[in-house]
């Protein structure tokens, strides 16, 4: 017997089957679509499809959509999700066709769906016994009641019956019962994880970027370097800010490697040529290019205006150069590695540059050793740890922000200033602090605990779910209240 394809099985498969059967109707006009546009076309078609899982429920309980409910007769109806934007959904004309254009094309107005939803609501609220429910907050954000609830309240208020629509606030309400059901009888506070692996398993080699992670959240180092865990990219993930930053880094690296000593006559065109090549190699997505190229063009123009001032006569600029040095104690050495974005060498001194597409660290954060990447790269350069670069004095540390926004680019230095701090001083102070940090974690009693420190961002913590951050932070909030 022929084995049915798993593509059309289950709730999602049946929903997809219904969609494609509708698309195969002979009277449906099929537009000419290029092959490269098919993913976007089908993504738009399935965006409004709902997959309703068939879960085991009580034999007297049914979960229906509004249209299905109108075709049934039952003793009790519960109308849920009565929030504006959910029921009814917001009237969205779409990003490409405005209302006059929709009218000219004889397309239905966006509000037509709201009319259908209103018809469903009026049919259902006429039931024998009806409960109206809504969520006052979604993900902690207050919601707006459905327009139908607000109109009912206004109508009842004019009749002197306003309180009849409000939920009771006593302990015997359904809401209180639901909260009581979810409340465990024996509750023990959730503690934040604080693993203490054997000292022999703790890493003896880290990059300068991993050092910042180690300071901000030791648990991330435990998960990635000791447990060897690595987050897999989500299937179908669209190109994001991280990819855009990597593209700009690669384009600048290729430009610098092509012109290490002298600059071309047309800096902007050369840099844009590299950016376009990398953009095509890494994404191959015309829509991404359409949105990202204008930002790259703005930055390339700024870079072309400011780069000659950064290059001095007789200087040499290297990009994406590897380096390492040994720190720590004699009996327990520690290897520090780096890949510098850019090093400018002139007159026996060096300036180390780090490219950022987001907001770069401030000089105070670098001085406080919260963002130690550049000072640690300076320490490697002073020790002669970078490939093909002998021991050298570092005279400057700077960030170049390649946002392409407003402003298109920005250069900031973390040396000098009111305190007249030098790169050598920052490097020495940061190495001293890092050695203390290494010595602490060489003690078995020091845990790789989950940290949430002020001055750091944790939006992209890949191991937050393993560290159960939501659980122990919620437990801490409950203890405070």
């Amino acid at each position: 017997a022929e084995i049915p394809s798993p593509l059309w099985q289950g709730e999602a498969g049946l929903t997809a089957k219904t969609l494609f059967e509708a698309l195969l109707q002979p009277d449906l006009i099929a537009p000419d679509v290029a092959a490269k546009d098919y993913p976007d076309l089908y993504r738009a078609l399935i965006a409004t499809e709902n997959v309703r899982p068939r879960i085991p429920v009580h034999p007297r309980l049914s979960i229906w959509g509004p249209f299905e409910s109108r075709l049934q007769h039952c003793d009790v109806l519960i109308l849920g999700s009565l929030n504006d934007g959910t029921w009814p959904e917001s009237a969205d004309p779409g990003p490409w066709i405005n209302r006059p254009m929709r009218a000219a094309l004889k397309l239905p107005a966006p509000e037509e769906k709201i009319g259908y939803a209103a018809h469903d609501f009026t049919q259902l609220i006429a039931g024998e016994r009806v409960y109206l429910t809504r969520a006052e907050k979604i993900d902690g954000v207050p919601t707006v009641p459905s327009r139908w609830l607000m109109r009912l309240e206004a109508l009842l208020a004019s009749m002197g019956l306003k309180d009849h629509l409000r939920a009771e606030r006593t302990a015997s309400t359904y809401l209180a019962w639901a909260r009581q059901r979810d409340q465990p009888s024996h509750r023990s506070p959730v503690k934040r994880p604080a693993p203490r692996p054997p000292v022999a398993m703790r890493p003896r080699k880290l990059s300068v970027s991993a050092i910042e992670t180690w300071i901000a959240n030791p648990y991330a180092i435990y998960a990635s370097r000791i447990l060897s865990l690595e987050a897999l990219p989500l299937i179908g993930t669209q190109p994001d800010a991280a990819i855009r930053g990597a593209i700009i880094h690669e384009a600048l690296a290729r430009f610098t490697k092509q012109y290490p000593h002298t600059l071309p006559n047309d800096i902007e065109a050369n840099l844009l040529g590299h950016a376009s090549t990398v953009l095509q190699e890494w994404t191959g997505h015309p829509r991404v290019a359409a949105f990202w190229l204008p930002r790259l063009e703005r930055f390339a123009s700024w870079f072309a205006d400011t780069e000659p001032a950064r290059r001095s006569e007789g200087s040499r600029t290297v990009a994406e150069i590897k380096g390492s040095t040994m720190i720590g104690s004699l009996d327990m050495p520690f290897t520090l590695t780096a890949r510098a974005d850019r090093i400018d060498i002139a007159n026996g001194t060096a300036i180390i540059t780090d490219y950022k597409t987001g907001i770069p660290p401030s000089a105070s954060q670098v001085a406080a050793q919260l963002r130690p990447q550049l000072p640690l790269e300076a320490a490697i350069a002073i020790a002669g740890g970078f490939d093909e670069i002998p021991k050298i004095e570092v005279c400057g540390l700077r960030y170049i922000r390649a946002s392409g926004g407003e402003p298109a680019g920005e250069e900031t230095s973390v040396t000098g200033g009111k305190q007249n701090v030098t790169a050598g001083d920052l490097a020495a102070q940061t190495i001293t602090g890092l050695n203390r940090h290494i010595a602490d974690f060489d003690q078995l009693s020091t845990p790789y605990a989950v940290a949430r420190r002020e001055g750091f961002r944790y939006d992209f913590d890949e191991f937050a779910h393993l560290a159960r951050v939501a659980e122990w932070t919620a437990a801490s909030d409950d203890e405070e209240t």
Side-chain angles (χ1 to χ4, degrees):
E2 183 180 353
I3 301 176
S5 171
L7 182 64
W8 314 111
Q9 297 179 9
E11 294 86 354
L14 290 175
T15 304
K17 179 175 178 291
T18 303
L19 171 66
F20 282 100
E21 285 178 345
L23 294 177
L24 291 173
Q25 294 298 321
D27 57 343
L28 187 65
I29 299 175
D32 293 332
V33 180
K36 65 180 181 179
D37 295 329
Y38 267 85
D40 290 336
L41 171 65
Y42 284 108
R43 188 178 292 112
L45 289 174
I46 66 175
T48 56
E49 295 294 325
N50 293 318
V51 177
R52 295 188 177 91
R54 297 179 180 177
I55 57 176
V57 295
H58 193 276
R60 296 183 60 191
L61 174 66
S62 297
I63 300 176
W64 297 319
F67 183 76
E68 298 168 295
S69 303
R70 284 167 43 197
L71 304 177
Q72 311 292 334
H73 177 77
C74 48
D75 299 328
V76 179
L77 276 172
I78 302 175
L79 307 185
S81 302
L82 286 170
N83 291 325
D84 217 44
T86 304
W87 196 13
E89 294 181 345
S90 301
D92 184 11
W96 307 114
I97 303 178
N98 58 28
R99 294 175 186 273
M101 294 170 65
R102 292 181 70 92
L105 294 172
K106 301 188 183 304
L107 294 175
E111 290 77 14
E112 186 171 318
K113 290 184 178 179
I114 296 180
Y116 293 143
H119 179 64
D120 292 338
F121 179 79
T122 54
Q123 291 289 102
L124 295 172
I125 201 174
E128 183 177 345
R129 188 173 186 182
V130 182
Y131 291 88
L132 308 178
T133 69
R134 77 178 192 90
E136 292 185 348
K137 288 185 179 181
I138 296 179
D139 295 331
V141 179
T143 59
V144 178
S146 171
R147 62 193 68 186
W148 302 318
L149 280 181
M150 291 191 286
R151 289 174 183 175
L152 279 174
E153 286 189 344
L155 176 63
L156 292 173
S158 66
M159 301 171 59
L161 302 173
K162 184 176 182 180
D163 294 336
H164 283 61
L165 195 61
R166 297 194 176 278
E168 298 177 6
R169 299 296 182 180
T170 63
S172 61
T173 61
Y174 299 114
L175 182 60
W177 289 347
R179 288 174 176 169
Q180 186 178 4
R181 180 201 63 185
D182 296 335
Q183 186 72 21
S185 55
H186 301 286
R187 181 176 180 181
S188 57
V190 178
K191 296 181 180 179
R192 73 174 67 187
R196 293 176 174 82
V199 175
M201 296 180 63
R202 304 188 178 199
R204 308 305 308 170
K205 179 180 180 180
L206 288 175
S207 66
V208 293
S209 57
I211 294 296
E212 183 173 320
T213 304
W214 194 12
I215 295 171
N217 185 19
Y219 186 87
I221 297 298
Y222 167 75
S224 61
R225 304 306 173 98
I226 298 176
L227 298 183
S228 299
L229 301 178
E230 182 180 358
L232 296 176
L234 298 176
I235 297 176
T237 302
Q238 296 293 315
D240 55 9
I243 294 294
R244 183 167 63 86
I247 289 172
I248 291 178
H249 274 73
E250 180 65 18
L252 287 167
R254 293 186 185 186
F255 175 85
T256 302
K257 290 176 181 178
Q258 185 178 2
Y259 303 103
H261 298 286
T262 58
L263 292 171
N265 293 329
D266 195 338
I267 300 174
E268 181 177 351
N270 276 271
L271 179 58
L272 275 178
H274 287 297
S276 299
T277 301
V278 176
L279 189 64
Q280 182 63 32
E281 291 175 358
W282 287 30
T283 66
H285 203 298
R287 186 174 63 181
V288 173
F291 280 97
W292 286 2
L293 270 180
R295 299 179 70 94
L296 292 172
E297 290 171 354
R298 288 192 291 268
F299 170 72
S301 176
W302 176 89
F303 185 82
D305 292 339
T306 58
E307 180 65 5
R310 285 186 287 270
R311 300 280 190 109
S312 59
E313 186 176 354
S315 66
R316 177 168 69 102
T317 303
V318 294
E320 295 294 326
I321 183 170
K322 295 181 179 179
S324 64
T325 189
M326 300 291 291
I327 58 175
S329 60
L330 293 176
D331 56 335
M332 297 191 71
F334 191 96
T335 303
L336 182 66
T337 66
R339 181 190 289 269
D341 286 348
R342 168 176 172 167
I343 300 179
D344 294 88
I345 304 168
N347 302 321
T349 61
I351 298 177
I352 302 178
T353 302
D354 188 36
Y355 295 119
K356 296 289 186 184
T357 51
I359 299 176
S362 63
S364 59
Q365 288 177 315
V366 175
Q369 301 177 26
L370 297 178
R371 303 295 178 89
Q373 181 173 340
L374 277 182
L376 292 178
E377 289 181 3
I380 294 174
I382 292 170
F386 280 109
D387 298 344
E388 302 178 5
I389 299 179
K391 292 183 179 180
I392 194 170
E393 178 186 353
V394 179
C395 63
L397 304 174
R398 67 187 173 197
Y399 291 101
I400 291 180
R401 185 185 181 191
S403 67
E406 191 63 43
E410 192 175 9
E411 179 181 335
T412 57
S413 175
V414 296
T415 54
K418 295 181 180 179
Q419 306 299 327
N420 196 27
V421 63
T422 66
D425 293 338
L426 281 176
Q429 294 167 9
T430 307
I431 288 292
T432 300
L434 179 56
N435 280 329
R436 287 197 299 266
H437 192 74
I438 294 171
D440 287 342
F441 279 85
D442 284 340
Q443 304 296 320
L444 184 60
S445 58
T446 303
Y448 283 81
V450 188
R452 288 295 182 265
R453 298 183 57 191
E454 186 178 355
F456 292 97
R457 294 185 60 184
Y458 298 92
D459 300 343
F460 305 101
D461 183 2
E462 296 177 337
F463 306 106
H465 61 299
L466 296 179
R468 307 193 312 277
V469 172
E471 296 180 26
W472 56 260
T473 51
S476 302
D477 294 342
D478 290 345
E479 291 174 2
E480 291 176 2
T481 57

